């Protein structure tokens, strides 16, 4: 741990007027931006136009935020895929600008299905608008080094660090790169890292042991490390604490932006100047109570971002708009799971996060690689496919028995367990996460 | 109010990548600007023009080598996409090729091909949708066995090398000097770059030519291994299109082989 202490007062924030704006001003700003963006989205996005026409609504019917939440129809990922198939539009009707205005086409990670294309128009950094505020909060400053340990996404994570004046060091998000990462950290002393995942956390101790390195020393210059991908279990979190690393969790905000913790670690801030976030009851359209479980519904407020309007993300979150201890006024959320990941066993709801703690308590499965087998939302038995260390010496029957007992104790449901080598599950996903739900 | 898109400050160093698996490769803003100019000339020689879609398959850690190509594509008015080199990214490669009319796919690895096969796909068919494919060592030979003639792309130390129609490898001659007379090729930086590269052994065996019959400018490496017989490069519509270079572009020679015979 570097011992970094954030400055008091406005110097703490990258953009003080925006990050500490009064809630009434945030709402007014959002309303103004929404009214500017809606006609643009309607005109440019075939999917938005189609969806609104089917609902009998036009942007001219919307003159306030209240009009919007009362009348605007929803989009969802299945609808986007369906529209893409019906129309042969590779962008699912979400091309944000006129033809010829693109500089790049990126794609989503594809953890929950086929990756979705993300068209990037000219004028927008390839990375989107990035993590400037978040890097600043962590303590990244001009001329600092930043370890960017990533995959697939070019520009992502590094361009916003460069805009602050920091210098990225590039690594693949791959355990094979961890020795090089450790050596570079000791040599160049970066102040932050984007990003650490559960898989890399699980692999770092053995790499450090093999290289004869002390992870406390390796991370001693880091003011903070951005974590992402999947929830980090208690065992892995304790390991990271033992390296004296302060983690900053982050998550995607419905393919529009992102949310990340501040130093209070009391929820992930989302940028309300870039996205209008609604927090709705899981099976309806009513606002969920502050702090309670609801579905994240996102509308882009920047005409250069993907024109997602009332996009039901399927993400279940707790959310609050109360001012944070850090002084920021933008909302905060706590991811809980995905609506499509929920299984109901004997009337009891189980999400992958519920199984997590149990799986990682068994040494052979401490990497917490597992899938909930979900042929339907309602199932008779909780079936789990759990990865284990193939070098384990114990009989697999003993490992499965321990896992069954741990899951029963944690979740209250007796599971049926299929053990597979960790490597089999790792092949299924992007490197930072795997699909946590499988149909079979 | 601070713009999220404007820089607070611009350090001299752009970033630190790698070459040869574990050699740190710092590059300055100036290096990246010059490399982008070289990449732009290379892409134009490959026939990339405004409106084209190009897909770069590279390691994230190869950002110092491939970001200039991605920037150059944008400067040419093309639209770039990217995927990593591992087998897990094969679905992404296949998706891009299925949904977008790719003019160029550059950087395909043996792992990409293995990943495509794991998905039950035929790499030659998937990649054959592109006008031109540049494959890394190993992948090119596998594709040839499937009937797809791909050009070469490789890294000679820190320098990106692209195969021409004569099957020689070319680097950006404004930045790099090659040496070697049949043993291993060495590469040196021509200018004062952030990374000191002088006589670096690339591990690639071959003979360095001062001029290549393909018409591309500068030095070229004739790889030591016997070059495969040139694949017929004609497709259903005739010769593999090199794509006309835009007016005023860098010198144009023949594009490397590409496309399904």
């Amino acid at each position: 741990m570097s011992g970094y202490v954030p400055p008091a007062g406005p110097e703490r924030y990258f953009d003080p007027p925006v990050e500490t704006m009064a809630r009434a001003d945030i709402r007014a700003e959002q309303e103004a931006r929404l009214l500017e963006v809606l006609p643009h989205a309607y005109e440019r996005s075939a999917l938005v136009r189609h969806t609104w026409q089917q609902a009998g609504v036009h942007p001219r019917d919307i003159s306030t935020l209240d009009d919007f939440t009362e009348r605007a129809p929803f989009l969802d990922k299945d609808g986007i895929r369906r529209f893409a198939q019906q129309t042969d539009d590779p962008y699912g009707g979400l091309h944000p600008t006129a033809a010829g205005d693109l500089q790049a086409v990126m794609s989503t990670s594809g953890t929950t299905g086929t990756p979705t294309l993300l068209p990037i128009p000219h004028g927008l950094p390839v990375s989107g608008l990035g993590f400037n505020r978040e890097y600043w909060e962590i303590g990244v400053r001009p001329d600092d080094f930043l370890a960017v340990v990533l995959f697939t996404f070019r520009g992502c994570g590094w361009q916003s660090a460069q805009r602050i004046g920091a210098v990225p060091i590039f690594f693949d998000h791959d355990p094979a790169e961890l020795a090089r990462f450790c050596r570079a950290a000791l040599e160049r002393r970066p102040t932050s890292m984007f990003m650490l995942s559960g898989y890399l956390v699980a692999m770092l101790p053995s790499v450090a042991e093999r290289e004869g390195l002390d992870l406390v020393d390796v991370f001693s210059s880091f003011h903070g490390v951005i974590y992402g991908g999947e929830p980090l279990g208690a065992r892995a979190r304790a390991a990271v604490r033992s390296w004296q690393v302060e983690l900053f969790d982050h998550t995607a905000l419905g393919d529009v932006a992102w949310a990340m913790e501040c130093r209070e670690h009391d929820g992930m801030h989302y940028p309300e100047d870039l996205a209008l976030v609604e927090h709705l009851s899981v099976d309806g359209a009513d606002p969920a109570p502050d702090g309670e479980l609801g579905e994240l519904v996102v509308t882009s407020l920047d005409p250069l971002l993907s024109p997602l309007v009332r996009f039901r993300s399927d993400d279940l979150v707790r959310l609050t708009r109360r001012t944070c201890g850090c002084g920021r006024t933008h909302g905060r959320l706590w991811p809980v799971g995905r609506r499509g990941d929920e299984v109901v066993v004997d009337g009891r709801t189980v999400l992958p996060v519920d199984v997590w703690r149990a799986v990682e308590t068994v040494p052979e499965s401490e990497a917490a690689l597992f899938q909930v087998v979900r042929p339907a939302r309602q199932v008779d038995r909780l079936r789990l496919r759990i990865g284990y260390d193939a070098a384990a010496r114990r009989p697999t029957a003993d490992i499965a028995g321990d896992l069954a007992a741990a899951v029963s104790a944690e979740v209250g449901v007796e599971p049926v367990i299929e053990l597979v080598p960790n490597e089999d599950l790792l092949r299924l996903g992007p490197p930072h996460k795997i699909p946590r739900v499988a149909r079979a | 109010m601070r713009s999220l898109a404007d820089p607070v400050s611009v350090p001299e160093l752009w970033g630190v990548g790698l070459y040869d698996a574990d050699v740190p490769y710092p590059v300055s803003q100036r290096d990246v600007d010059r490399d982008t100019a070289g990449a732009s000339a290379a892409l134009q020689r490959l026939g990339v023009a405004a409106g084209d879609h190009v897909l770069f398959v590279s390691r994230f850690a190869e950002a110092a080598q491939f970001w200039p190509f991605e920037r150059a594509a944008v400067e040419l008015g093309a639209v770039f996409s990217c995927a990593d080199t591992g087998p897990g990214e094969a679905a992404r490669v296949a998706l891009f090729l299925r949904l977008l009319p790719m003019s160029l796919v550059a950087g395909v690895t043996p792992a990409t091909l293995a990943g495509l096969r794991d998905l039950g796909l035929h790499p030659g068919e998937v990649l054959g949708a592109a006008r031109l494919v540049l494959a890394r060592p190993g992948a090119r030979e596998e594709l040839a066995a499937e009937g797809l003639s791909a050009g070469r792309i490789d890294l000679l130390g820190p320098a990106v090398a692209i195969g021409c129609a004569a099957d020689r490898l070319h680097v950006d001659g404004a930045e790099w000097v090659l040496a070697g007379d049949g043993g291993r090729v060495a590469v040196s930086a021509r200018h004062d770059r952030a990374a000191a590269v002088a006589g670096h052994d690339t591990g690639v065996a071959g003979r360095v030519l001062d001029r290549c019959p393909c018409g591309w400018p500068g030095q070229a490496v004739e790889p030591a291994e016997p070059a495969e017989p040139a694949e017929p490069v004609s497709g259903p519509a005739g010769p593999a299109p090199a794509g006309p270079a835009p007016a005023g572009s860098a010198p144009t020679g023949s594009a490397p082989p590409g496309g399904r015979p």
Side-chain angles (χ1 to χ4, degrees):
Chain A
M1 192 179 293
S2 69
Y4 172 79
V5 177
E11 288 75 27
R12 173 166 185 166
Y13 314 113
F14 179 79
D15 191 349
V18 170
E19 292 174 66
T20 60
M21 191 181 277
R23 288 300 314 174
D25 293 339
I26 290 176
R27 187 173 167 84
E29 179 76 19
Q30 288 184 321
E31 189 168 85
R33 288 185 177 219
L34 180 72
L35 295 178
E36 183 188 333
V37 160
L38 279 181
H40 178 86
Y42 186 88
E43 180 191 337
R44 293 282 169 81
S45 164
L47 175 61
V48 170
R49 194 164 54 249
H50 171 79
T51 306
W52 282 51
Q53 283 173 345
Q54 284 210 317
V57 185
H58 190 278
R60 64 175 164 265
D61 302 329
I62 309 294
S63 52
T64 65
L65 274 176
D66 288 338
D67 292 343
F68 179 73
T69 54
E70 279 167 26
R71 307 197 60 183
F74 295 106
L75 303 176
D76 61 32
K77 202 156 249 183
D78 286 343
I80 295 169
R81 288 181 177 139
R82 210 166 35 245
F83 188 84
Q85 285 166 0
Q86 289 167 354
T87 59
D88 277 336
D89 179 349
Y91 307 112
L94 288 170
H95 197 305
T97 58
D101 278 355
L102 289 183
Q103 57 169 318
V105 180
M106 299 290 126
S107 53
T108 59
S109 63
T111 319
T112 60
T114 308
T116 307
L117 297 188
L118 298 172
I120 310 289
H122 288 289
L124 186 71
V126 172
S127 57
L129 291 170
F131 297 130
N132 303 32
R133 295 170 190 165
E134 292 74 11
Y135 282 138
W136 197 265
E137 166 70 1
I138 288 173
V140 178
R141 294 294 183 272
D143 296 319
D144 283 0
F145 282 105
L146 172 92
V148 189
V149 186
L150 207 55
F151 49 90
T152 305
F153 309 107
R154 302 300 184 261
C156 184
W158 91 59
Q159 284 185 312
S160 42
Q162 287 175 324
R163 285 195 295 270
I164 284 180
V167 178
I169 315 172
F170 301 97
F171 304 91
D172 299 338
H173 198 91
D174 185 328
E177 284 271 81
L178 288 175
R180 191 169 74 85
F181 161 78
C182 291
R183 289 195 298 270
L186 291 167
E187 183 186 341
R188 297 190 186 268
R189 292 302 188 186
T191 54
S192 188
M193 171 186 188
F194 179 77
M195 64 175 225
L196 198 55
S197 65
Y199 185 38
L200 295 190
V201 168
M203 296 295 125
L204 263 168
S206 57
V207 172
E209 187 180 353
R210 194 178 63 230
E211 299 285 321
L213 299 172
D214 174 5
L215 288 172
V216 174
D217 190 14
V218 166
F219 284 107
S220 61
S221 62
F222 289 67
H223 303 329
V225 167
I226 298 170
Y227 177 85
E230 296 182 301
L232 192 61
R235 190 187 184 111
R237 205 167 275 277
V240 172
R241 263 199 304 272
S242 75
W243 311 332
Q244 299 179 19
V245 168
E246 185 171 354
L247 286 184
F248 291 76
D249 282 356
H250 94 291
T251 189
L253 193 70
D255 290 350
V256 168
W258 64 93
M260 194 187 297
E261 287 183 328
C262 64
R263 287 197 169 273
E264 299 296 314
H265 301 288
D266 188 17
M268 304 182 198
H269 286 279
Y270 52 88
E272 295 203 64
D273 52 325
L274 299 180
L276 173 66
V277 168
E278 296 174 81
H279 173 230
L280 303 182
S281 59
V282 175
D283 293 315
D286 298 326
D290 189 276
E292 294 190 13
L293 191 69
E295 184 180 356
L296 183 72
V297 179
V298 183
T299 298
S300 161
L301 292 177
D302 188 310
L304 288 177
L305 296 174
S306 185
L308 287 167
V309 179
R310 289 204 108 186
F311 175 60
R312 294 203 80 126
S313 67
D314 206 36
D315 290 325
L316 301 177
V317 300
R318 290 191 299 114
L319 184 148
T320 186
R321 295 183 178 90
R322 291 193 303 270
T323 300
C324 179
C326 73
R328 289 181 180 81
T329 51
H330 291 227
R332 287 167 287 149
L333 59 83
W334 293 259
V336 174
R338 294 183 65 80
R339 202 171 55 156
D341 290 355
E342 176 193 61
V343 288
V344 180
V345 193
D346 284 341
R348 187 187 293 261
T349 293
V350 180
L351 284 163
V353 69
D354 301 323
V355 175
W356 217 287
R357 283 185 293 275
V359 171
E360 66 172 7
T361 59
V362 176
E364 292 84 353
S365 60
E366 67 180 4
L369 294 165
F370 68 91
Q371 293 185 308
V372 177
V373 179
R374 183 186 187 269
R377 181 167 174 265
Q378 305 261 1
V379 292
D380 295 333
R381 302 291 306 273
L382 175 63
R383 291 184 54 212
L384 301 174
R385 180 174 297 125
I386 301 179
Y388 74 105
D389 179 356
R393 293 182 181 168
R394 286 203 300 158
T396 51
D398 292 355
I399 299 170
D402 286 355
L403 282 165
V407 171
S408 297
E410 185 72 37
V411 183
V413 174
E414 182 79 25
V416 177
I417 289 176
E418 173 195 358
L419 281 180
V420 297
N422 280 338
E423 289 68 27
D424 286 9
L425 290 178
L426 285 170
R427 272 199 285 272
L428 298 176
H432 66 313
K433 56 183 176 178
I434 62 167
R436 289 295 172 177
V437 172
R439 281 185 186 278
Chain B
M1 180 167 153
R2 247 174 176 167
S3 163
L4 290 175
D6 294 334
V8 174
S9 78
V10 181
E12 192 177 323
L13 212 53
W14 178 86
V16 182
L18 91 165
Y19 63 90
D20 285 3
D22 61 357
V23 181
Y25 181 40
V27 290
S28 67
Q29 305 283 350
R30 225 170 26 169
D31 293 338
V32 171
D33 289 345
R34 289 201 312 257
D35 289 346
T36 301
S40 179
L43 290 176
Q44 288 178 74
R45 286 195 296 268
L46 294 168
V48 173
D52 282 357
H53 282 268
V54 294
L55 171 61
F56 295 103
V57 182
S58 64
R59 290 177 55 182
F60 188 82
E62 293 172 337
Q65 284 89 356
F66 279 85
W67 183 248
F69 277 82
E70 290 155 356
R71 246 182 78 181
V74 174
E75 288 179 7
L76 290 172
V79 182
F80 84 88
S81 297
C82 48
D84 287 348
T85 52
E89 288 280 281
R92 193 177 310 283
V93 171
L95 175 88
F96 281 127
L97 280 156
R98 183 163 53 81
L99 295 180
L100 300 174
M102 285 295 165
S103 295
L104 170 66
V105 179
V108 172
T109 67
T112 313
L113 307 186
L116 289 170
R117 291 191 192 99
D118 284 348
L119 295 170
L121 300 170
H122 296 289
E125 281 178 19
V126 172
L127 292 161
R131 177 179 62 78
L132 179 63
V133 177
L134 299 180
R136 304 206 197 204
R140 184 167 173 269
E141 294 73 16
E142 288 185 40
L143 287 171
E146 290 199 24
L148 184 78
S149 178
R152 292 177 191 268
I153 187 166
D154 201 355
L155 292 176
L156 299 182
V160 178
I162 293 173
C164 65
D167 215 19
R168 271 87 168 189
L169 287 165
H170 291 252
V171 296
D172 176 6
E175 287 299 308
W176 307 105
V177 182
L178 302 172
D181 57 2
R184 299 228 291 234
V185 175
V187 63
S188 302
R190 195 178 283 281
H191 301 287
D192 184 19
R193 295 178 63 99
V197 182
H200 174 75
D201 179 357
T202 65
V204 172
R207 190 164 61 98
V208 175
L209 310 173
D210 286 336
R211 185 172 297 175
C212 181
C214 74
W216 287 7
Q219 295 176 295
V221 175
E222 185 175 57
E225 72 270 17
E228 294 156 36
E231 296 283 339
V233 292
S234 58
S249 67
T252 305
S254 303
R260 177 169 290 282

